Amino acid sequence: MSKKYVYKFSEGNKDMRELLGGKGANLAEMTAAGMPVPQGFTVTTEACTRYYDDGRAIAPEIQEEIMQNLTWLEELNGKKFGDPTNPLLVSVRSGARASMPGMMDTILNLGLNDVAVEGFAKKTGNPRFAYDSYRRFIQMFSDVVMELSKKRFEEIIDDVKAKKGVKLDVDLDAEDMKQLVVLFKEFYKKEKGEEFPQDPKVQLMEAVKAVFRSWDNPRANVYRRMNEIPYDWGTAVNVQTMVFGNSGSNSGTGVAFTRNPATGEKALFGEYLINAQGEDVVAGVRTPSPISKLHEEMPAVYDQFAEIADRLEKHYKDMQDMEFTIEDGKLYMLQTRNGKRTAAAALKVAVDLVDEGMIDEKEAVLRVEPKQLDSLLHPQFDADALKKAAVVGKGLAASPGAACGKVVFTAEEAKEWHERGEKIVLVRLETSPEDIEGMQVAQGILTVRGGMTSHAAVVARGMGTCCVSGCGEIVVDYDKKCFTLAGKTYKEGDWISIDGSTGNIYGEAIKTVPADPSSGPFGRFMAWADKYRQLQVYTNADNPRDAKQGYDFGAQGIGLCRTEHMFFEGDRIKAIREMIVSENAEERAKALAKIMPLQQGDFEGIYEEMKGQPVVIRFLDPPLHEFVPTKEEDIVDLAKEMGITVDRLHEIINGLHEVNPMMGHRGCRLAVAYPEIAEMQTAAVINAAINVQKKHPDWKMVPEIMIPLVGEVKELKFVKDVVVKTADAIIAQSGIDMKYEVGTMIEIPRAALTAGEIAKEAEFFSFGTNDLTQMTFGFSRDDAGKFLGYYYDEKIYESDPFAHLDQTGVGQLVEMAAKAGKATRPSIHMGICGEHGGDPTSVEFCHNVGLNYVSCSPFRVPIARLAAAQAAIKNPR
């Protein structure tokens, strides 16, 4: 039996979403429920996939099936396609299985031609309506199918209105509409070199191709990457009998929600236009009326619509987004789908539906997209102010929230301006650890280079600071203290605004409003999430402030404390530089002795904020060249302090240079070369834990020391022996019976492959998926953005592997290592601490492969908590 590629609405149901797409499945469901749906048929997602497999061509058997269903639709309506007296007109709309509003294309009034429009005018007795429908079809077909300039059609309409002295399209009469048809066709012929197609069947096939083609348009591809919608899903096409909201004053069209999509309030919310078609409502040419006014204008229609809306919400058990048309006083339902809503509305709707007995707690937890919670945790732009602002550039949405401030170009300037009470946005080619103090005081960070896991992005997310990274169109001139973007120069002190949730850059000040996650049902909803999740959620925190933020957002521990970030504050950098340029172990120990009490104080502050929860502290990881001075005046000062010549210091600094420092002398390799570093850090960790334990006897302090970049069990054992010797001596002197653990970061493929051996020494694994991804793919996370766009275009990759864990390759290494580690040491506990720890799909993967926890930046903790709950509900262990 041959595959079926086309289904009548009466042949489907809501469970056929994968085949019929969301719109087709819902039209079928409404048809089965006896609702007033204009009938039609759906060309399946499999037909779309076949279209691409066949070199962007619709196979003959699929075309034949479409025509067979068209004949059925003609018989059903008692009309003929292209008939000169009683023509059948259809709409052709996209419909993917996941809602992608506005991303793909629609064509209305298909089937009209020069002959049919005359018959249509006579049949309806309304020539203006007939020619208005024809000019709309020519415009949409030319734009969507033939890719002609939409703007030029609007200009033609504006010219006709100006000559007649009217402002609105509805003020044009039948003769004006006929004139627009002529002008539109003339423009079409001039651009295409041929007449506008008159055969309705050709129109239909070209329209179906265009909708399939729109699955691969740039905006759809970007939307899919943002929302992790696979390319191979394809889109369905819905061919539906036209009903006309533009047939007179007793007709109209609108969009409505069963609840307010901004607030979640339970009341019909929407708008409509009299004597209009669907695109008029969203085009903004005329001001729509609120749906409540329909109760006054057409009370019977309103009552029917309200009853259907209520039925649909109860049927789908969720807020519905509906499109409707009224033709000569009769209501038709064109679409229903689960409505897109703000995070605040999503939480309220989910909680309200539980209270109304429509869904249970587990279903409510599944109803909110984890990523949506971001908007509740960060400042946002004032909605009214944002509408008036113009986007001047776009980068990567690296860390969410909104920021408005004056431009500065260095961390030092950021501190100075901040101390004067100024709000600033730090603009850099790219950030480095030395910029940390400037990043801390900035409202937002804007970089020219770097991807979603660049230094700027990772640190900004950890601090909850808005960041837009990788805007390559910016040209920075540090010497002149300015940058240019979109032909305009912005000097130090000029106002800009950036949106870390969209990547948009604005060349002006835009008012921001603070987030307030404590308001509304947030706490109650998150309690449900915590009730059902099985993964623990930790936070990445390098200081007491971040630790407190993570704890306040529900973190159950710290999965990654990066000790190197502590070295850049105040005078500490001088001491670490002294250590680096030291000629022998004695000099290094002397420099490290200056750092030890400072690190110990940091750890005590972090332990205090976490109130006895687990804290995993990673020993020094980055290559030493990151700590040495680059400015000549700093080099001169350090040489003087160290009692060596400037030339000698230059020799030492040059000697630290590596061809590929991210794969060089860093991580555990530093402790192998300089064991005194591990001794100092162990002493700081253990002493801090002992002091806090003495202050809080009821807390069970178990320090967890993580050795980074291990690839061989022997190197782990070497560093672990240093740690154990130092820790045991301190604990013995303290008189406190303190347990501690030594584990490792699995971030090198060899470590994943030999995890069974490594687990003989490691008491826990933490998967550093940033570096593991980098080393597995073989490209730099900071530079990958330069070429990944080409890979997206060619469908080689569908998403950034640094943003979403590559489950096929990197994920296989994680799963393999987890199994091997448990086989060797059944008590081993495992988590991930790379940026993937706050990515919902990656969190689900971690749950499925049996990890114990995920760790992420503080502001992503609620996202990870919800994602972990959803994973547990969908796939209980």
Side-chain angles (χ1 to χ4, degrees):
M1 184 177 173
S2 61
K3 183 187 284 285
K4 185 177 173 71
Y5 285 103
V6 182
Y7 287 77
K8 301 176 182 67
F9 294 165
S10 56
E11 294 177 317
N13 60 60
K14 66 178 173 58
D15 298 324
M16 296 172 69
R17 175 178 289 268
E18 291 187 11
L19 187 64
L20 303 180
K23 189 174 296 180
N26 289 339
L27 285 167
E29 192 76 3
M30 286 195 292
T31 295
M35 294 182 184
V37 176
Q39 284 304 289
F41 54 87
T42 300
V43 187
T44 65
T45 57
E46 291 179 347
C48 179
T49 305
R50 173 87 183 270
Y51 164 82
Y52 283 102
D53 290 344
D54 291 347
R56 299 195 176 216
I58 301 178
E61 63 267 33
I62 298 177
Q63 292 193 43
E64 183 180 344
E65 209 174 328
I66 290 171
M67 288 306 162
Q68 288 170 355
N69 280 272
L70 182 64
T71 300
W72 161 80
L73 195 60
E74 288 175 327
E75 293 170 356
L76 184 72
N77 286 283
K79 300 177 180 179
K80 294 284 283 183
F81 214 38
D83 189 83
T85 57
N86 190 18
L88 171 68
L89 304 186
V90 297
S91 64
V92 179
R93 299 171 184 258
S94 62
R97 67 168 91 168
S99 178
M100 296 173 59
M103 295 301 111
M104 293 179 291
D105 293 325
T106 294
I107 301 101
L108 304 180
N109 308 308
L110 190 143
L112 282 173
N113 56 26
D114 294 348
V115 175
V117 71
E118 293 181 21
F120 194 43
K122 289 176 184 173
K123 176 75 176 175
T124 60
N126 190 339
R128 186 206 176 278
F129 155 60
Y131 281 90
D132 179 36
S133 299
Y134 192 22
R135 69 91 186 167
R136 289 171 184 270
F137 170 57
I138 296 170
Q139 185 174 351
M140 293 185 87
F141 187 91
S142 301
D143 168 28
V144 171
V145 180
M146 308 310 292
E147 300 177 332
L148 296 184
S149 168
K150 186 177 183 179
K151 182 182 177 185
R152 181 62 194 132
F153 287 101
E154 297 296 341
E155 290 171 350
I156 293 169
I157 296 171
D158 289 342
D159 288 344
V160 171
K161 287 192 289 190
K163 286 174 185 173
K164 188 162 186 180
V166 299
K167 289 188 176 182
L168 300 176
D169 295 1
V170 290
D171 295 326
L172 298 175
D173 61 22
E175 292 306 312
D176 299 323
M177 292 299 172
K178 288 180 181 179
Q179 183 188 1
L180 284 176
V181 167
V182 172
L183 293 171
F184 282 6
K185 287 170 61 186
E186 286 176 355
F187 171 63
Y188 182 95
K189 185 174 181 180
K190 178 184 174 186
E191 292 295 310
K192 302 301 293 182
E194 60 188 26
E195 298 291 344
F196 186 82
Q198 295 293 301
D199 185 341
K201 292 181 179 179
V202 171
Q203 295 172 359
L204 178 59
M205 283 303 164
E206 290 301 319
V208 172
K209 285 181 195 172
V211 173
F212 283 160
R213 199 167 60 233
S214 71
W215 176 250
D216 195 29
N217 71 34
R219 66 179 186 270
N221 285 329
V222 169
Y223 186 91
R224 273 200 306 278
R225 274 203 305 279
M226 286 172 57
N227 293 278
E228 300 172 65
I229 299 171
Y231 178 77
D232 60 11
W233 277 7
T235 182
V237 179
N238 297 288
V239 179
Q240 189 172 23
T241 305
M242 277 296 301
V243 286
F244 301 95
N246 61 327
S247 60
S249 59
N250 201 30
S251 300
T253 189
V255 176
F257 297 81
T258 55
R259 301 181 190 228
N260 187 312
T263 66
E265 179 190 0
K266 187 179 181 181
L268 268 180
F269 177 91
E271 52 194 17
Y272 70 101
L273 278 171
I274 291 294
N275 197 16
Q277 285 198 341
E279 73 269 23
D280 298 335
V281 178
V282 294
V285 178
R286 290 162 56 194
T287 303
S289 300
I291 193 73
S292 55
K293 197 168 187 298
L294 187 63
H295 193 261
E296 301 170 21
E297 294 192 326
M298 300 181 189
V301 170
Y302 177 87
D303 289 345
Q304 184 189 6
F305 179 74
E307 186 271 331
I308 287 174
D310 186 57
R311 279 177 65 196
L312 286 170
E313 181 172 277
K314 286 176 178 170
H315 182 78
Y316 286 99
K317 297 179 170 37
D318 203 353
M319 180 188 98
Q320 294 300 291
D321 168 4
M322 304 157 293
E323 292 181 19
F324 64 94
T325 286
I326 304 157
E327 181 182 317
D328 297 329
K330 184 175 180 182
L331 175 68
Y332 292 94
M333 300 299 296
L334 304 183
Q335 172 176 297
T336 192
R337 61 187 173 197
N338 294 339
K340 296 288 184 183
R341 64 207 81 173
T342 65
L347 291 176
K348 178 169 172 52
V349 170
V351 170
D352 285 353
L353 290 176
V354 172
D355 290 342
E356 293 165 25
M358 221 181 287
I359 60 175
D360 60 19
E361 291 175 357
K362 286 185 177 180
E363 185 60 35
V365 168
L366 294 173
R367 288 292 173 84
V368 179
E369 293 181 23
K371 286 186 288 189
Q372 276 192 294
L373 297 181
D374 251 346
S375 63
L376 297 175
L377 311 175
H378 299 272
Q380 302 296 309
F381 287 126
D382 177 80
D384 293 333
L386 190 62
K387 287 178 186 175
K388 300 169 188 171
V391 177
V392 296
K394 192 174 180 71
L396 298 174
S399 180
C404 170
K406 293 180 178 179
V407 173
V408 297
F409 293 94
T410 68
E412 293 80 7
E413 289 161 357
K415 282 181 66 181
E416 289 170 13
W417 285 63
H418 174 72
E419 286 164 4
R420 297 204 302 262
E422 301 275 13
K423 290 186 174 182
I424 54 98
V425 172
L426 179 62
V427 180
R428 302 285 292 158
L429 281 172
E430 57 190 348
T431 62
S432 71
E434 286 186 327
D435 294 319
I436 191 73
E437 288 183 288
M439 296 172 76
Q440 282 179 336
V441 299
Q443 301 294 307
I445 299 153
L446 173 61
T447 71
V448 179
R449 297 198 286 260
M452 295 294 284
T453 54
S454 63
H455 177 269
V458 172
V459 174
R461 282 196 290 270
M463 297 189 298
T465 300
C466 166
C467 176
V468 173
S469 65
C471 181
E473 296 170 10
I474 291 175
V475 178
V476 173
D477 188 328
Y478 285 143
D479 293 334
K480 293 181 180 177
K481 293 188 176 182
C482 68
F483 74 87
T484 56
L485 175 62
K488 184 178 175 183
T489 298
Y490 299 86
K491 300 184 182 68
E492 182 181 74
D494 287 347
W495 285 94
I496 64 168
S497 301
I498 60 174
D499 189 336
S501 303
T502 64
N504 288 342
I505 303 163
Y506 303 88
E508 60 193 281
I510 305 174
K511 179 184 174 184
T512 61
V513 292
D516 183 13
S518 62
S519 64
F522 181 83
R524 187 178 171 202
F525 178 86
M526 292 307 296
W528 293 342
D530 292 337
K531 179 178 176 181
Y532 295 108
R533 67 181 167 85
Q534 293 165 298
L535 273 175
Q536 291 185 304
V537 177
Y538 291 4
T539 189
N540 300 339
D542 309 329
N543 53 63
R545 184 195 66 250
D546 288 351
K548 181 180 187 307
Q549 185 69 77
Y551 187 87
D552 289 347
F553 279 149
Q556 297 163 284
I558 290 177
L560 176 63
C561 175
R562 291 162 286 213
T563 53
E564 61 272 7
H565 284 183
M566 300 170 177
F567 296 154
F568 288 97
E569 295 185 12
D571 291 335
R572 302 180 188 197
I573 190 69
K574 291 182 180 178
I576 198 73
R577 285 170 175 172
E578 281 183 36
M579 187 275 293
I580 291 168
V581 301
S582 297
E583 301 280 359
N584 53 56
E586 185 180 345
E587 287 182 4
R588 278 193 295 275
K590 183 179 175 184
L592 288 166
K594 297 178 183 178
I595 301 170
M596 204 279 283
L598 301 173
Q599 278 228 313
Q600 180 177 322
D602 288 332
F603 295 146
E604 287 182 24
I606 289 170
Y607 285 142
E608 288 279 356
E609 294 296 349
M610 293 312 295
K611 299 176 174 48
Q613 299 277 33
V615 176
V616 179
I617 295 172
R618 183 181 74 184
F619 277 5
L620 189 63
D621 182 50
L624 296 180
H625 80 93
E626 288 194 9
F627 300 99
V628 295
T630 55
K631 294 178 181 176
E632 188 63 25
E633 59 264 33
D634 293 335
I635 293 173
V636 171
D637 289 345
L638 181 60
K640 189 175 180 181
E641 284 182 35
M642 291 294 296
I644 60 176
T645 66
V646 172
D647 288 343
R648 174 61 185 141
L649 184 51
H650 273 296
E651 281 179 28
I652 295 170
I653 291 171
N654 291 336
L656 290 172
H657 176 75
E658 296 180 87
V659 175
N660 191 341
M662 294 312 294
M663 297 178 74
H665 194 187
R666 54 171 285 223
C668 65
R669 299 158 198 168
L670 291 172
V672 170
Y674 312 121
E676 51 271 24
I677 296 177
E679 288 174 4
M680 181 277 288
Q681 292 200 290
T682 302
V685 169
I686 300 299
N687 281 325
I690 289 169
N691 287 348
V692 173
Q693 182 74 79
K694 287 177 178 177
K695 284 174 67 178
H696 304 280
D698 54 325
W699 293 359
K700 189 180 179 184
M701 302 295 298
V702 182
E704 297 183 36
I705 293 171
M706 182 159 69
I707 312 301
L709 216 74
V710 164
E712 160 61 48
V713 67
K714 292 175 188 174
E715 63 184 341
L716 173 59
K717 185 178 187 314
F718 178 91
V719 181
K720 182 182 176 183
D721 286 348
V722 173
V723 171
V724 169
K725 181 179 178 182
T726 306
D728 287 355
I730 294 170
I731 293 169
Q733 285 182 343
S734 73
I736 285 182
D737 181 22
M738 175 170 283
K739 306 295 182 190
Y740 64 92
E741 292 185 351
V742 180
T744 189
M745 212 170 193
I746 304 289
E747 52 192 325
I748 294 175
R750 191 178 191 277
L753 294 169
T754 62
E757 283 296 305
I758 289 173
K760 292 176 181 176
E761 296 292 339
E763 292 166 281
F764 64 87
F765 285 168
S766 178
F767 292 93
T769 51
N770 293 349
D771 266 350
L772 188 58
T773 297
Q774 185 167 240
M775 295 194 190
T776 303
F777 275 87
F779 49 60
S780 163
R781 66 186 184 187
D782 290 327
D783 298 325
K786 295 175 183 176
F787 61 81
L788 279 177
Y790 301 111
Y791 277 60
Y792 301 147
D793 292 344
E794 299 302 329
K795 311 298 182 296
I796 297 171
Y797 297 147
E798 288 195 42
S799 63
D800 181 350
F802 293 108
H804 308 298
L805 183 68
D806 162 48
Q807 297 182 19
T808 306
V810 179
Q812 188 174 331
L813 288 171
V814 172
E815 187 172 10
M816 179 192 310
K819 286 179 180 175
K822 279 189 176 176
T824 298
R825 186 187 293 265
S827 64
I828 196 167
H829 52 107
M830 298 177 288
I832 71 165
C833 60
E835 280 302 292
H836 298 112
D839 171 60
T841 55
S842 305
V843 171
E844 183 174 0
F845 172 82
C846 293
H847 168 88
N848 291 342
V849 298
L851 300 191
N852 303 101
Y853 69 89
V854 295
S855 188
C856 56
S857 53
F859 281 81
R860 297 179 98 178
V861 166
I863 296 167
R865 287 164 61 195
L866 178 53
Q870 292 181 348
I873 291 168
K874 288 187 279 187
N875 303 295
R877 289 178 180 172

Coordinates of all heavy atoms in Angstrom, one line a residue, residues 647-686:
D647 N 64.3 43.4 31.8 CA 64.6 42.5 30.7 C 64.4 41.1 31.2 O 63.9 40.2 30.4 CB 66.0 42.7 30.3 CG 66.2 44.0 29.5 OD1 65.2 44.5 29.0 OD2 67.4 44.4 29.3
R648 N 64.8 40.8 32.4 CA 64.7 39.4 32.9 C 63.2 39.1 33.1 O 62.8 37.9 32.7 CB 65.4 39.3 34.3 CG 65.2 37.9 35.0 CD 65.7 36.8 34.2 NE 65.4 35.5 34.8 CZ 65.0 34.4 34.2 NH1 64.9 34.5 32.8 NH2 64.7 33.3 34.8
L649 N 62.4 40.0 33.5 CA 61.0 39.7 33.7 C 60.3 39.5 32.3 O 59.5 38.7 32.1 CB 60.3 40.9 34.4 CG 58.8 40.7 34.7 CD1 58.5 39.4 35.4 CD2 58.3 41.9 35.6
H650 N 60.8 40.3 31.3 CA 60.3 40.1 29.9 C 60.6 38.7 29.5 O 59.8 38.0 28.8 CB 60.9 41.1 29.0 CG 60.1 42.4 28.9 ND1 58.8 42.4 28.4 CD2 60.4 43.7 29.2 CE1 58.3 43.7 28.5 NE2 59.3 44.5 28.9
E651 N 61.8 38.2 29.8 CA 62.2 36.8 29.4 C 61.3 35.8 30.0 O 60.8 34.8 29.4 CB 63.6 36.6 29.9 CG 64.7 37.1 29.0 CD 66.1 36.8 29.6 OE1 66.2 35.8 30.3 OE2 67.0 37.6 29.4
I652 N 60.9 36.0 31.3 CA 60.1 35.0 32.0 C 58.7 35.0 31.4 O 58.1 34.0 31.1 CB 60.0 35.4 33.5 CG1 61.4 35.2 34.2 CG2 58.9 34.5 34.2 CD1 61.4 35.8 35.6
I653 N 58.2 36.2 31.1 CA 56.8 36.4 30.6 C 56.8 35.7 29.2 O 55.8 35.0 28.8 CB 56.4 37.8 30.5 CG1 56.1 38.4 31.9 CG2 55.1 38.0 29.7 CD1 55.9 39.9 32.0
N654 N 57.8 36.0 28.4 CA 57.8 35.4 27.0 C 58.0 33.9 27.1 O 57.4 33.2 26.2 CB 59.0 36.0 26.2 CG 58.8 37.5 25.9 OD1 57.7 37.9 25.8 ND2 59.9 38.2 25.7
G655 N 58.6 33.4 28.1 CA 58.8 32.0 28.3 C 57.5 31.3 28.6 O 57.3 30.1 28.4
L656 N 56.5 32.0 29.2 CA 55.2 31.5 29.5 C 54.3 31.3 28.3 O 53.3 30.7 28.3 CB 54.5 32.3 30.5 CG 55.1 32.3 32.0 CD1 54.4 33.3 32.8 CD2 55.0 30.9 32.6
H657 N 54.7 32.0 27.2 CA 53.9 32.0 26.0 C 53.8 30.5 25.4 O 54.8 29.9 25.3 CB 54.4 32.9 24.9 CG 53.6 32.9 23.6 ND1 52.4 33.4 23.5 CD2 54.0 32.3 22.5 CE1 52.0 33.2 22.3 NE2 52.9 32.5 21.6
E658 N 52.6 30.1 25.1 CA 52.4 28.8 24.5 C 51.7 28.9 23.2 O 50.8 29.8 23.0 CB 51.6 27.9 25.4 CG 52.3 27.6 26.8 CD 51.4 26.7 27.7 OE1 51.5 25.5 27.6 OE2 50.7 27.3 28.5
V659 N 51.9 28.0 22.3 CA 51.2 28.0 21.0 C 49.8 27.8 21.2 O 48.9 28.5 20.6 CB 51.8 26.9 20.0 CG1 51.0 26.9 18.7 CG2 53.3 27.2 19.7
N660 N 49.4 26.9 22.0 CA 48.0 26.6 22.3 C 47.8 26.5 23.8 O 47.7 25.4 24.4 CB 47.5 25.3 21.6 CG 46.0 25.2 21.7 OD1 45.3 25.8 22.5 ND2 45.5 24.3 20.8
P661 N 47.7 27.6 24.5 CA 47.7 27.6 26.0 C 46.5 26.9 26.6 O 46.7 26.3 27.7 CB 47.7 29.1 26.4 CG 47.2 29.8 25.2 CD 47.6 29.0 24.0
M662 N 45.4 26.8 25.9 CA 44.3 26.0 26.5 C 44.5 24.5 26.5 O 43.8 23.8 27.1 CB 43.0 26.4 25.7 CG 42.5 27.8 25.9 SD 42.5 28.4 27.6 CE 41.2 27.4 28.3
M663 N 45.5 24.1 25.8 CA 45.9 22.7 25.8 C 47.3 22.5 26.3 O 48.0 21.5 26.0 CB 45.7 22.1 24.4 CG 44.3 22.1 23.9 SD 44.1 21.4 22.2 CE 44.3 19.7 22.6
G664 N 47.8 23.5 27.1 CA 49.2 23.5 27.5 C 49.4 23.3 29.0 O 48.8 22.4 29.6
H665 N 50.2 24.1 29.6 CA 50.6 24.0 31.0 C 49.6 24.6 31.9 O 49.7 25.8 32.3 CB 52.0 24.6 31.2 CG 52.6 24.2 32.5 ND1 53.8 24.8 33.0 CD2 52.3 23.3 33.4 CE1 54.1 24.3 34.1 NE2 53.2 23.3 34.4
R666 N 48.6 23.8 32.2 CA 47.4 24.3 33.0 C 46.8 23.2 33.8 O 47.2 22.0 33.6 CB 46.4 25.0 32.1 CG 45.9 24.1 31.0 CD 44.7 24.7 30.3 NE 43.5 24.6 31.1 CZ 42.3 24.2 30.5 NH1 42.1 24.0 29.3 NH2 41.2 24.2 31.3
G667 N 45.8 23.5 34.6 CA 45.1 22.4 35.4 C 46.1 21.7 36.3 O 47.0 22.2 36.9
C668 N 45.9 20.3 36.3 CA 46.7 19.5 37.2 C 48.2 19.5 36.9 O 49.0 19.3 37.7 CB 46.2 18.1 37.3 SG 46.4 17.2 35.7
R669 N 48.5 19.9 35.6 CA 49.9 20.0 35.2 C 50.6 21.0 36.0 O 51.8 20.9 36.2 CB 49.9 20.3 33.7 CG 49.2 19.2 32.9 CD 48.8 19.6 31.5 NE 47.8 18.7 31.0 CZ 47.0 19.0 29.9 NH1 47.2 20.2 29.3 NH2 46.1 18.1 29.5
L670 N 49.9 22.1 36.4 CA 50.6 23.1 37.2 C 51.0 22.5 38.6 O 52.1 22.8 39.1 CB 49.6 24.3 37.4 CG 49.3 25.2 36.2 CD1 48.2 26.2 36.6 CD2 50.6 25.9 35.8
A671 N 50.1 21.7 39.2 CA 50.3 21.1 40.5 C 51.4 20.1 40.4 O 52.2 19.8 41.4 CB 49.1 20.6 41.1
V672 N 51.5 19.4 39.2 CA 52.6 18.4 39.1 C 54.0 19.1 39.0 O 54.9 18.7 39.6 CB 52.4 17.6 37.8 CG1 53.6 16.7 37.5 CG2 51.2 16.7 37.9
A673 N 54.0 20.3 38.3 CA 55.2 21.1 38.2 C 55.5 21.8 39.5 O 56.7 22.0 39.9 CB 55.1 22.0 37.0
Y674 N 54.5 22.3 40.1 CA 54.6 23.2 41.3 C 53.7 22.7 42.4 O 52.6 23.2 42.7 CB 54.3 24.6 41.0 CG 55.0 25.2 39.8 CD1 54.3 25.7 38.7 CD2 56.4 25.2 39.6 CE1 54.9 26.2 37.6 CE2 57.0 25.7 38.5 CZ 56.3 26.2 37.5 OH 56.9 26.7 36.3
P675 N 54.1 21.6 43.1 CA 53.2 21.0 44.1 C 52.8 22.0 45.2 O 51.7 21.8 45.8 CB 54.0 19.8 44.7 CG 55.0 19.5 43.6 CD 55.3 20.8 42.9
E676 N 53.6 23.0 45.4 CA 53.3 24.0 46.5 C 52.0 24.7 46.2 O 51.4 25.2 47.2 CB 54.5 24.9 46.7 CG 55.0 25.6 45.4 CD 56.1 24.8 44.7 OE1 56.2 23.6 44.9 OE2 56.9 25.4 44.0
I677 N 51.6 24.8 44.9 CA 50.3 25.5 44.7 C 49.2 24.6 45.3 O 48.3 25.1 45.9 CB 50.1 25.6 43.1 CG1 51.2 26.6 42.6 CG2 48.7 26.2 42.8 CD1 51.1 26.7 41.0
A678 N 49.3 23.3 45.0 CA 48.2 22.4 45.6 C 48.3 22.4 47.1 O 47.2 22.3 47.8 CB 48.4 21.0 45.0
E679 N 49.5 22.5 47.7 CA 49.6 22.5 49.1 C 48.9 23.7 49.7 O 48.2 23.7 50.7 CB 51.1 22.5 49.5 CG 51.8 21.2 49.3 CD 53.3 21.3 49.6 OE1 53.7 22.4 50.0 OE2 54.0 20.3 49.3
M680 N 49.2 24.9 49.1 CA 48.6 26.1 49.6 C 47.1 26.1 49.5 O 46.3 26.5 50.4 CB 49.1 27.3 48.8 CG 48.6 28.7 49.2 SD 46.9 29.1 48.5 CE 47.4 29.4 46.8
Q681 N 46.6 25.6 48.3 CA 45.1 25.6 48.1 C 44.4 24.6 49.1 O 43.3 24.9 49.6 CB 44.8 25.4 46.7 CG 45.2 26.5 45.8 CD 44.5 26.5 44.4 OE1 44.7 25.7 43.6 NE2 43.6 27.5 44.2
T682 N 45.1 23.5 49.3 CA 44.5 22.5 50.2 C 44.4 23.1 51.6 O 43.4 22.9 52.3 CB 45.4 21.2 50.2 OG1 45.5 20.7 48.9 CG2 44.8 20.2 51.2
A683 N 45.5 23.8 52.0 CA 45.5 24.4 53.4 C 44.4 25.4 53.5 O 43.7 25.4 54.5 CB 46.9 25.0 53.6
A684 N 44.2 26.2 52.5 CA 43.1 27.2 52.5 C 41.7 26.6 52.6 O 40.9 27.0 53.4 CB 43.2 28.1 51.3
V685 N 41.5 25.5 51.8 CA 40.2 24.8 51.8 C 39.9 24.2 53.2 O 38.9 24.4 53.8 CB 40.2 23.7 50.7 CG1 39.0 22.8 50.9 CG2 40.2 24.4 49.3
I686 N 40.9 23.4 53.7 CA 40.7 22.7 54.9 C 40.6 23.6 56.1 O 39.7 23.4 57.0 CB 41.8 21.6 55.1 CG1 41.8 20.6 53.9 CG2 41.6 20.8 56.4 CD1 40.5 19.8 53.7

